[in-house]
Amino acid sequence: PHKALEKYRHTGELHKWAVMDYVLGNPDRHGQNLMVGPEKDGFPVALIDHGSAFAGPSFDPARDKNSFIPYYLRAWKGDAWHDLQPSQRLRAMPSLNEDSDEQLRKWLEGIHGGDLEQVLARYGIDPQPSLERLAKIRRLLTEPSVSQAINQLWLET
């Protein structure tokens, strides 16, 4: 998985996935819920199995024993991840350089709650929990490093 995830590590894609999983309340992003394509295709990664998504307002991955930090944010530590203290975990999670972090910030600014609400409502999904989590994510835009703030959100929500 490291080879497959490495190309996404410094581009902001992993953090975009983390935002998506957080906002949509997906507590089940372990290593088996990533699908990696063949090497000839440059190891494309697909996030699969969204069957647990759309958790209610109590979704709190940092404190819920049934959810966890997404594998793509902790893959570089493997099984040792479980033995790390929170501060060590934060240092082990991917971070972005200033330019990539700014691109991530602009991407986040482009997510509109009204669009999210409309799509979820169209499928009969209560949009309120996702809108509340999106609002929490948008508050991170004031942080110096958006990528580190997203990592922190998964550790201590």
Side-chain angles (χ1 to χ4, degrees), residues 17-153:
W17 298 347
V19 166
M20 179 190 70
D21 278 337
Y22 186 83
V23 169
L24 297 180
N26 188 353
D28 189 28
R29 188 60 69 206
H30 53 77
Q32 288 74 38
N33 282 345
L34 303 176
M35 191 164 57
V36 179
E39 186 170 353
K40 67 180 176 63
D41 293 332
F43 295 114
V45 174
L47 304 179
I48 63 168
D49 189 0
H50 306 282
S52 298
F54 305 114
S58 64
F59 175 68
D60 185 355
R63 293 179 182 88
D64 182 356
K65 64 183 170 90
N66 295 317
S67 62
F68 42 83
I69 295 166
Y71 178 76
Y72 50 77
L73 291 179
R74 58 186 167 84
W76 288 267
K77 284 298 181 181
D79 291 338
W81 176 262
H82 302 291
D83 298 326
L84 299 177
Q85 297 297 316
S87 62
Q88 295 170 311
R89 288 179 175 186
L90 186 60
R91 284 192 304 274
M93 294 168 85
S95 60
L96 300 176
N97 66 33
E98 193 174 312
D99 289 339
S100 295
D101 205 77
E102 188 56 33
Q103 289 176 10
L104 177 62
R105 184 182 313 277
K106 288 179 182 177
W107 177 81
L108 276 171
E109 289 170 347
I111 299 174
H112 301 287
D115 295 339
L116 176 64
E117 182 175 17
Q118 185 178 24
V119 170
L120 294 179
R122 183 179 331 141
Y123 290 98
I125 299 167
D126 178 9
Q128 199 56 42
S130 291
L131 291 172
E132 289 172 9
R133 289 189 288 270
L134 177 59
K136 192 171 190 175
I137 289 277
R138 291 189 61 83
R139 287 193 292 273
L140 302 179
L141 291 171
T142 62
E143 296 293 325
S145 171
V146 176
S147 60
Q148 284 298 304
I150 290 168
N151 291 345
Q152 186 72 38
L153 183 69

